[in-house]
């Protein structure tokens, strides 16, 4: 986002210094009586609101995207192998030392910061702490969703105090109670002043997400949840929460002439009425957002001869290209006869984009004079005894592990145009040169909760057994989504699988797919190279949560590693 930057960061200049990343901290109130000026409140809260920019801007995304059926983490003859950390996520072969999941302490530090603000403001009895309590609940939800059992850090710990993990179901109930306690205390205005900060509607969206996944979070173990026998005591509560957001009249789907695509442009921000809650980024003053680097074709920075890359300019820094959309997700994204969301997908031949309007042109992109065509099917490269390169395609016909190349664990596709072109790519978070030259950072704000998601959640809840309200049916809610992206509407009521697929299209690359796959019972499916018979792929239900990072266990010696790791 490039507008209204001063609003968010002036306070940050005098905000709290970064909190300790250890879970054990000593509470220190900075004020005997909390200053009640608006500037003082903003100074205390700024660092809490935006603490997770770095985590949400890259590493959290890697764990969510690569463990789902959205993306495959490939490498190029050692280039971007990085010890296999990306491939491990794609194969559910998670490693407690991997950087892709080593952000637990960063999130817990955010909870500590929120707790310090609450203390400095006089405690939870002060209604003004509601926004800090939301951030504490949201950060706790991240840990609970991803790692299962986690501490309930509802206060600052005393020096030397031993912190224990609470059962996941207990954590879910604590988050529920926190959100219910603060919803009526949070602001209801939705404008520039509340953009990137918790409002009533952000809290309702998080609670709706908690409730729709209630059977997942309250199961005796992560593996005990069975999507086929989904039963949810809070299913009607999901509808009630969605209704309050819908009836507020403060959110909408359509976003001007560019529709769906413009929600994710580098200049997105408070004007996007689909965003209920978002994390603001700026390539200079609020860095951390680096989604496009691994999604850009490996040499897409330029044309290889000093000319522009497919973004319409030489974007100034090298690109990764080590994420490719899985063939299964590619089929889903490109399935409908018409769909504005497909304009974000680089499928087949790559064309140039206009660097000012971000619109696709009819001019093919060329690298060193060669037109670049992406192959939906991803093939692994291996070399025979005579040093001849071969490519092997995964599929139902390949079950014998002996047929896979010896170095298949790195998902190597080869370091040439053919290898770089395995799998479709994305321009959903469009890159511009003035951003990317600043450490490959981007100014695209990250949506966390969207109005479109709320419509699909309500439709899902009704299909799962909730009572329909306000004359809205699953078909009508579903078709609101289809209509605004100019996609074919459904003639009848959607099934759960229809909704699951539509969530994959509408919320592609927004860090919700892993969460959805577990709830709908598809996380253990075969997709990408996550295939039975593939040597390093895992299908254990314990993989529904990540291992506790080794660095966290080293500091909390009373904790045990999650089962299965």
């Amino acid at each position: 986002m490039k507008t209204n930057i001063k609003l968010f960061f002036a306070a940050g200049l005098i905000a709290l210094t970064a909190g300790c990343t250890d879970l054990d901290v000593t509470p220190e109130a900075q004020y005997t009586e909390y200053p009640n000026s608006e500037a003082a409140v903003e100074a205390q809260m700024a660092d809490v609101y935006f603490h997770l920019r770095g985590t949400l801007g890259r590493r959290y995304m890697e764990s969510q995207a690569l463990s789902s059926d959205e993306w495959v983490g490939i490498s190029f003859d050692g280039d971007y192998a990085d010890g296999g950390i990306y491939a491990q996520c794609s194969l559910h072969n998670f490693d407690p030392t991997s950087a892709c999941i080593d952000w637990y302490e960063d999130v817990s530090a955010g909870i500590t910061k929120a707790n310090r603000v609450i203390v400095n403001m006089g405690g939870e009895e002060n209604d003004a702490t509601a926004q800090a309590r939301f951030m504490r609940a949201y950060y706790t939800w991240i840990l609970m969703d991803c790692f299962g059992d986690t501490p309930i850090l509802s206060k600052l710990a005393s020096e030397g105090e031993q912190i224990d993990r609470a059962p996941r179901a207990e954590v879910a109930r604590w988050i529920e109670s926190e959100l219910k306690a603060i919803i009526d205390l949070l602001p209801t205005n939705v404008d520039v002043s509340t953009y990137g900060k918790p409002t009533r509607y952000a809290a309702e969206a998080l609670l709706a997400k908690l409730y729709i996944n209630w059977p997942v979070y309250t199961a005796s173990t992560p593996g005990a949840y069975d999507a086929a026998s989904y039963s949810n005591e809070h299913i009607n509560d999901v509808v009630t929460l969605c209704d309050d957001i819908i009836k507020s009249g403060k959110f909408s789907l359509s976003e001007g002439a560019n529709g769906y695509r413009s929600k994710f442009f580098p200049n997105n921000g408070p004007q996007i009425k689909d965003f209920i809650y978002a994390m603001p980024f700026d390539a200079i003053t609020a860095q951390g957002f680096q989604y496009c680097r691994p999604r850009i074709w490996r040499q897409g920075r330029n044309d290889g001869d000093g000319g522009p890359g497919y973004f319409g300019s030489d974007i100034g820094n090298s690109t990764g290209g080590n994420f490719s959309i899985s063939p299964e997700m590619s089929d889903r994204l490109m399935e409908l006869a018409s769909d504005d969301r497909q304009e974000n997908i680089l499928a087949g031949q790559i064309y140039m984009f206009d660097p000012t309007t971000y619109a696709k042109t009819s001019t093919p992109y060329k690298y060193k004079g060669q037109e670049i065509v992406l192959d939906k099917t991803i093939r692994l490269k291996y070399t025979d005894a005579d040093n001849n390169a071969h490519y092997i395609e995964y599929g139902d016909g390949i079950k014998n592990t002996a047929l896979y190349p010896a170095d298949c664990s790195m998902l190597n596709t080869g370091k040439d145009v053919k290898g770089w072109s395995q799998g479709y790519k994305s321009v959903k978070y469009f890159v511009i040169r003035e951003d990317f030259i600043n450490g490959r950072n981007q100014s695209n704000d990250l949506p966390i909760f969207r109005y479109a998601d709320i419509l699909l959640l309500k439709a899902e809840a009704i299909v799962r057994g909730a009572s329909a309200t306000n004359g809205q049916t699953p078909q009508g809610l579903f078709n609101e989504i289809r209509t605004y992206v100019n996609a074919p509407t459904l003639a009848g009521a959607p099934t759960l699988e229809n909704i699951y697929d539509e969530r994959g299209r509408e919320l592609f690359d927004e860090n919700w797919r892993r969460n959805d796959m577990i709830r709908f019972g598809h996380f253990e499916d075969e997709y990408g190279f996550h295939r039975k018979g593939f040597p390093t792929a895992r299908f254990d239900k314990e993989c529904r949560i990540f291992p506790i990072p080794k660095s966290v266990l080293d500091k909390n010696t009373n904790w045990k590693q999650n089962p299965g790791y």
Side-chain angles (χ1 to χ4, degrees), residues 16 25-35 44 112-123 155-158:
L16 296 172
V25 295
T26 303
E28 296 181 10
Q30 295 181 355
Y31 304 102
T32 303
E33 182 177 349
Y34 181 73
Q44 287 279 304
T112 297
K113 290 181 180 182
N115 276 328
R116 187 172 292 120
V117 167
I118 293 168
V119 169
N120 290 343
M121 294 178 71
K155 63 180 179 64
L156 287 170
S158 302

Side-chain angles (χ1 to χ4, degrees), residues 1 5-6 9 53 281-287 443:
M1 180 189 71
I5 296 300
K6 291 182 179 177
F9 307 107
R53 278 204 177 99
F281 286 89
D282 180 81
I284 299 172
T285 59
Q287 295 182 341
S443 294

